[in-house]
Amino acid sequence: MEVDGQHGGAPAFDVEAYAANYSGHAKIDRLLFAANKSADTPLELEALKLAADALKQTENTQRYVEVMERIGGRAGDKYALDTDWVERVERLAAQKQDKLENELNVYKSNLIKESIRMGHNELGDFFYSRGDLQNAFKHYMRTRDYCTTGRHIVHMCLQVVKCSIELGNYIHLSNYVQKAEATPEGQADPSVMSKLACASGLYCLEQGRYKAAALKFTEATSELGTSFSDVIAPQDVAIYGALCGMAALSRAELSGRLLNNVAFRELLELVPEVREALHDFYASNYTSCLSQLENLRLQLSLDPHLHDHVQPLYQAVRNKALTQYTAPFAALDLNAMAAFFSTSVSGLEKELAGLISSQQIKARIDSHAKVLYARKPDQRSGTYQQAMLAGEEYLRNTRALLVRASLMQHDLIQKPTGGGGGGGGGSGGPDRPDRGEGPPGRHGRHRGERRGDRDRGGGAGPSEERGGFMGSMWGKLGAASRFGDRD
């Protein structure tokens, strides 16, 4: 059934066709979310009726009662509260829970790992069908200690991921996605890898990391099919991937990861409006692209995963379109640009001013003449700056070479002593020679010889050698500095 949009110009929204893409909890959650977002409109009642029909196919009596109370008799006798059904399901559920718990206790007493794992799985499935996500999550987590094969690990991770998404517990989601991706059995199954890529994409989307989300969603393939429809539909993967890609990926990445990606193109075929918008964006036909995205705004605002990100994503796409449109021009008439983007000149000026202040566009606006001038870099100044930097680097290297050459000329370098194999100058050990009898010191002579030279008064003393070295070194450094000053 098509229901008129919330706003006068909004297109009709077929809530029944929308709900048909999902199954299980995802179908009910999305219908109730749509009802919450469209309160006091015909869409609310239609979504509640479809949710009530879906809940009667489950064992979630608590949620069924809540939905029927919200309908409040507005849909006629057909949608009156069925107390007989509620009591019957409650009675059968209590019996089933007792049976499953008794069986699990028997399995634990027998210490059979596979039976214990199956017992926890069955209890997890039972609580999940009843809508008790916390207990379901707890039992799925307990199967971790009893997994004996890679397939058991993958199944456990997928169940934990499904509960984590519904609970909004994205920390556990990330951990168990990585655990499943590291399993060889998971890597060998394209369907499992597509499910894990979608879960990772939702995690990145929730954090506002649109580029990472786009790259994750593009890893999904048509192998996903309807096997994950109780969490996300293939149409959602195409919408999320394309919208995040337009907002955050470069043109090269758009071409390689979306448009020329055969696997993702198959998903895009499921949503022709998004496919056309993506092609228009890549072809720089921004007017058509933004118009088609605006027609999808109502549907996307009713998406529980995307509703908080619709405005930031749309703004990012528009900013990117403005940036790419202005890039080739040295001067641009704002009147023509405003007509192209279907906006007013004053509104366009504000948008461009924001982009200029955020350094996304390098330009300046002539508000009087209504012209946008590109700000070209000063190549002459840039060349001079590079030459000055190269000269300073040359001087630093030259000074370092002169210092090294002077050190080597005056033999002020540390040489290894014979037989030790290590650098000299350390504290002596058991093999250290006695004073006056050891190997030559740093000036190449024995200490006894140096002492004898001083006694005889012949030759220059150590202080004179150091003085000559320092004078020579500073003279060369001064010459290098004067050379640099003249440059």
Side-chain angles (χ1 to χ4, degrees), residues 343-454:
T343 186
S344 63
V345 176
S346 59
L348 181 62
E349 279 191 45
K350 292 180 180 179
E351 289 186 84
L352 292 174
L355 293 173
I356 291 172
S357 63
S358 62
Q359 301 294 320
Q360 296 184 54
I361 294 179
K362 294 182 179 180
R364 51 193 175 87
I365 300 173
D366 185 344
S367 295
H368 178 71
K370 302 301 180 186
V371 177
L372 179 74
Y373 292 101
R375 191 183 298 276
K376 299 296 183 182
D378 189 349
Q379 296 182 358
R380 180 187 294 271
S381 175
T383 303
Y384 278 129
Q385 289 180 0
Q386 292 179 4
M388 292 295 293
L389 291 174
E392 292 173 2
E393 180 68 19
Y394 173 76
L395 285 177
R396 282 195 298 270
N397 293 338
T398 302
R399 289 191 181 105
L401 288 172
L402 288 173
V403 170
R404 180 176 178 80
S406 297
L407 291 172
M408 295 178 66
Q409 178 182 358
H410 292 81
D411 202 18
L412 290 179
I413 57 176
Q414 190 172 11
K415 295 180 179 179
T417 58
S427 59
D431 298 331
R432 179 177 178 179
D434 295 333
R435 296 180 66 86
E437 300 179 0
R442 61 179 181 176
H443 293 293
R445 296 182 296 177
H446 290 287
R447 294 181 182 179
E449 294 175 353
R450 291 201 301 272
R451 191 181 301 114
D453 291 342
R454 288 199 300 270

Side-chain angles (χ1 to χ4, degrees), residues 1-288:
M1 174 181 177
E2 290 191 355
V3 182
D4 291 338
Q6 298 175 20
H7 308 288
F13 178 64
D14 191 345
V15 64
E16 189 171 357
Y18 171 72
N21 295 325
Y22 307 95
S23 63
H25 286 200
K27 181 176 183 178
I28 298 167
D29 289 341
R30 286 176 178 267
L31 286 170
L32 293 179
F33 186 84
N36 294 335
K37 284 291 184 178
S38 54
D40 301 324
T41 65
L43 178 59
E44 178 194 14
L45 184 57
E46 184 63 24
L48 288 174
K49 287 161 59 178
L50 291 172
D53 293 337
L55 283 165
K56 287 208 69 173
Q57 307 301 318
T58 69
E59 299 176 5
N60 194 346
T61 55
Q62 180 180 353
R63 209 167 193 185
Y64 170 76
V65 172
E66 293 174 357
V67 170
M68 298 309 296
E69 288 177 354
R70 288 189 61 182
I71 293 175
R74 290 181 292 167
D77 295 338
K78 181 180 178 183
Y79 288 94
L81 180 62
D82 189 348
T83 54
D84 293 339
W85 177 82
V86 173
E87 292 174 358
R88 183 174 68 255
V89 172
E90 290 280 0
R91 184 174 61 254
L92 293 174
Q95 295 173 0
K96 185 176 182 181
Q97 181 177 350
D98 290 340
K99 176 187 174 185
L100 292 175
E101 288 176 347
N102 290 332
E103 289 178 351
L104 179 59
N105 290 332
V106 172
Y107 297 151
K108 287 182 176 179
S109 63
N110 293 334
L111 299 177
I112 303 175
K113 293 185 68 173
E114 177 61 15
S115 298
I116 297 173
R117 186 187 72 84
M118 291 297 297
H120 280 300
N121 260 333
E122 290 173 354
L123 268 172
D125 293 341
F126 167 77
F127 284 118
Y128 185 81
S129 66
R130 293 281 293 162
D132 189 350
L133 297 177
Q134 290 290 354
N135 276 321
F137 181 81
K138 179 178 67 175
H139 282 283
Y140 288 140
M141 288 277 287
R142 287 177 178 174
T143 63
R144 176 181 54 186
D145 298 330
Y146 304 100
C147 293
T148 56
T149 67
R151 293 206 170 273
H152 293 167
I153 294 174
V154 170
H155 179 267
M156 178 270 298
C157 290
L158 288 175
Q159 296 300 96
V160 171
V161 163
K162 185 166 64 173
C163 286
S164 298
I165 291 174
E166 292 192 43
L167 290 169
N169 189 347
Y170 287 93
I171 296 178
H172 278 100
L173 183 149
S174 175
N175 293 337
Y176 281 87
V177 164
Q178 294 176 5
K179 188 178 182 68
E181 286 176 339
T183 307
E185 286 80 358
Q187 296 172 359
D189 190 339
S191 176
V192 169
M193 294 305 293
S194 294
K195 292 178 182 179
L196 297 175
C198 292
S200 294
L202 290 175
Y203 172 66
C204 295
L205 180 62
E206 181 67 22
Q207 292 187 320
R209 295 161 48 205
Y210 299 133
K211 181 171 183 178
L215 295 177
K216 281 297 180 182
F217 285 124
T218 55
E219 293 177 9
T221 67
S222 57
E223 295 286 340
L224 181 67
T226 59
S227 62
F228 213 37
S229 61
D230 54 346
V231 175
I232 189 172
Q235 292 88 337
D236 295 331
V237 179
I239 293 172
Y240 299 168
L243 198 55
C244 292
M246 285 188 285
L249 297 184
S250 65
R251 289 183 62 83
E253 289 171 326
L254 274 179
S255 175
R257 300 302 295 264
L258 277 76
L259 296 174
N260 295 327
N261 184 345
V262 177
F264 190 75
R265 266 208 325 258
E266 294 178 2
L267 296 175
L268 281 174
E269 294 297 328
L270 301 173
V271 276
E273 303 91 347
V274 176
R275 181 196 63 203
E276 292 303 320
L278 179 60
H279 281 283
D280 287 338
F281 183 83
Y282 187 74
S284 300
N285 189 3
Y286 301 121
T287 305
S288 175

